[in-house]
Amino acid sequence: MIRIASVPEGHVYVRHLSDPCIDHGVVRLPDPGGKAWPSALLSPGWIDEHADGFDVFHVHFGFDALSTQDLTAVVDALRHHGKPLVYTVHDLRNPHHLDRRAHDEALDVLIPAATELITLTDGAAREIRSRWGRDAVVLPHPHVVDPDTLHRPRRERDRLRVGVHLKSLRASIDPLPILDILEREVPARGLELVVDVHTDVLTPGAYHHDARVAARVAQLDAVAGVRVHVHDYYTDAELWDYFFSLDLSVLPYRFGTHSGWLEACFDVGTHVLAPHLGYYHHQHDGVFGYDVGEQGPDEAGIIAALDALPEAAPWRADPDERAAERQYLAATHAHIYRRALAGARR
């Protein structure tokens, strides 16, 4: 049995690396801090105290608040106890950081130190090889929604619905330019535009409040053919219902690497319009695309996607293929963990 200290442990990506049918001899230990970030595991003190209780340390994300000195201390503690580090490179550009330097410095600590590297797309693997001279195993993102939801039928609509979710305005989201384009172009094609945003963006005094975005959302609420929905964070079930309510989800990003949001849309059959940056278009064929430049999003790709949407072929994950993919991921991770342990013992 290989005991894995995962950072984080409770995220849906990590949970779906296990095989619900077959025991591959891997146990992912619970995070003593629950969902608090940074994880309690990201500490030399925790590693020193619990070195006899885990075999492999697997980092995914959630180290944003740690300095390079903190991360170096974690790496040194693992090395001191002979514990291999596996790092899955989800983000080559952190979606929460407007300035990329802090994340680049973190990658400069983690990637050279890792015994094994994993990433999600061939494009990301090529960038890792180019920047650090390391090879990463490419493994696909597992399904995001639960198996029952993978089988849930979609409902036909008389009027196609295009959605853009501003969430809590993390740094990678640039909402105003794309809202201008969507407000003009979506209703003009007889489509419905749905704009979602979290309550904290519109609440004065809240951490994520943005007066300009709040004013723009208020304007949109009065536009025919546009529906605005302000709400707190969705539960998983509410989020799946939201995806099912859309025919196209527009990702208003100005930088990024991979997207779990895109994967969830693929699971339920909601088309995605994503910018041509990072490696969103490497995750699955059939993603609509638009360019992003210094002046913001280029409307040509957005207009082309809106024009193509009514005749677009169905785009949805096959539940059986997702189940087989999950079994493959579980078996491959078990193999990587054993290889990492063997390398650490040499």
Side-chain angles (χ1 to χ4, degrees):
M1 186 65 66
I2 305 175
R3 302 162 299 173
I4 311 300
S6 294
V7 180
E9 173 267 331
H11 192 276
V12 64
Y13 176 95
V14 179
R15 296 200 313 268
H16 287 177
L17 295 181
S18 64
D19 187 335
C21 302
I22 301 173
D23 181 1
H24 292 277
V26 172
V27 171
R28 290 178 173 85
L29 305 175
D31 190 323
K35 293 185 177 182
W37 287 20
S39 167
L41 279 62
L42 283 172
S43 159
W46 187 91
I47 293 168
D48 290 342
E49 185 177 350
H50 297 89
D52 292 336
F54 72 95
D55 303 301
V56 176
F57 201 82
H58 191 167
V59 174
H60 294 270
F61 37 77
F63 49 84
D64 308 53
L66 273 67
S67 67
T68 53
Q69 292 79 12
D70 294 332
L71 284 174
T72 299
V74 168
V75 166
D76 288 344
L78 292 171
R79 188 176 292 119
H80 172 75
H81 291 284
K83 301 295 181 178
L85 169 64
V86 175
Y87 177 36
T88 297
V89 187
H90 293 262
D91 298 314
L92 285 161
R93 178 75 190 272
N94 192 311
H96 303 286
H97 293 174
L98 197 57
D99 186 332
R100 67 176 300 156
R101 286 176 293 182
H103 190 68
D104 285 345
E105 291 171 358
L107 296 179
D108 284 340
V109 173
L110 292 173
I111 290 178
T115 308
E116 295 280 345
L117 288 171
I118 301 168
T119 194
L120 311 183
T121 58
D122 290 334
R126 286 193 293 271
E127 182 175 338
I128 292 165
R129 189 178 303 114
S130 173
R131 292 173 63 181
W132 291 278
R134 296 289 311 274
D135 289 327
V137 178
V138 178
L139 296 176
H141 196 299
H143 66 91
V144 175
V145 308
D146 58 277
D148 287 343
T149 303
L150 280 169
H151 288 87
R152 178 175 158 185
R154 291 186 64 86
R155 181 173 63 86
E156 294 291 330
R157 270 185 293 275
D158 295 332
R159 191 180 187 192
L160 297 180
R161 188 174 294 162
V162 177
V164 58
H165 202 313
L166 310 186
K167 307 180 189 178
S168 288
L169 290 186
R170 65 186 186 185
S172 63
I173 291 180
D174 187 18
L176 297 183
I178 205 162
L179 286 175
D180 292 343
I181 298 170
L182 294 174
E183 177 196 3
R184 182 175 64 252
E185 300 295 340
V186 173
R189 286 159 174 76
L191 312 176
E192 182 181 9
L193 175 61
V194 181
V195 178
D196 278 68
V197 62
H198 288 155
T199 307
D200 54 3
V201 174
L202 273 60
T203 304
Y207 181 76
H208 295 289
H209 175 62
D210 187 305
R212 292 177 64 225
V213 173
R216 188 71 179 91
V217 168
Q219 291 174 346
L220 286 169
D221 202 23
V223 175
V226 180
R227 184 164 62 88
V228 172
H229 188 200
V230 182
H231 53 87
D232 293 329
Y233 285 77
Y234 281 140
T235 64
D236 284 351
E238 289 170 337
L239 186 58
W240 311 156
D241 287 344
Y242 166 74
F243 290 138
F244 273 111
S245 76
L246 302 178
D247 299 286
L248 177 69
S249 180
V250 181
L251 307 188
Y253 301 159
R254 52 185 157 188
F255 55 80
T257 311
H258 300 115
S259 172
W261 189 275
L262 183 154
E263 294 287 344
C265 286
F266 182 57
D267 283 340
V268 306
T270 299
H271 288 280
V272 170
L273 173 57
H276 288 124
L277 50 81
Y279 301 104
Y280 305 130
H281 292 265
H282 294 229
Q283 290 181 237
H284 295 285
D285 294 333
V287 177
F288 291 114
Y290 67 94
D291 293 330
V292 179
E294 291 296 326
Q295 304 304 314
D298 178 62
E299 65 181 50
I302 297 172
I303 290 173
L306 297 176
D307 287 341
L309 182 62
E311 304 300 326
W315 186 77
R316 186 172 188 178
D318 179 282
D320 292 337
E321 290 180 2
R322 280 300 214 189
E325 182 180 68
R326 184 164 169 180
Q327 292 177 340
Y328 166 73
L329 288 170
T332 305
H333 275 79
H335 175 72
I336 290 171
Y337 294 147
R338 292 188 174 93
R339 189 169 64 196
L341 278 170
R345 288 169 181 154
R346 284 199 292 267

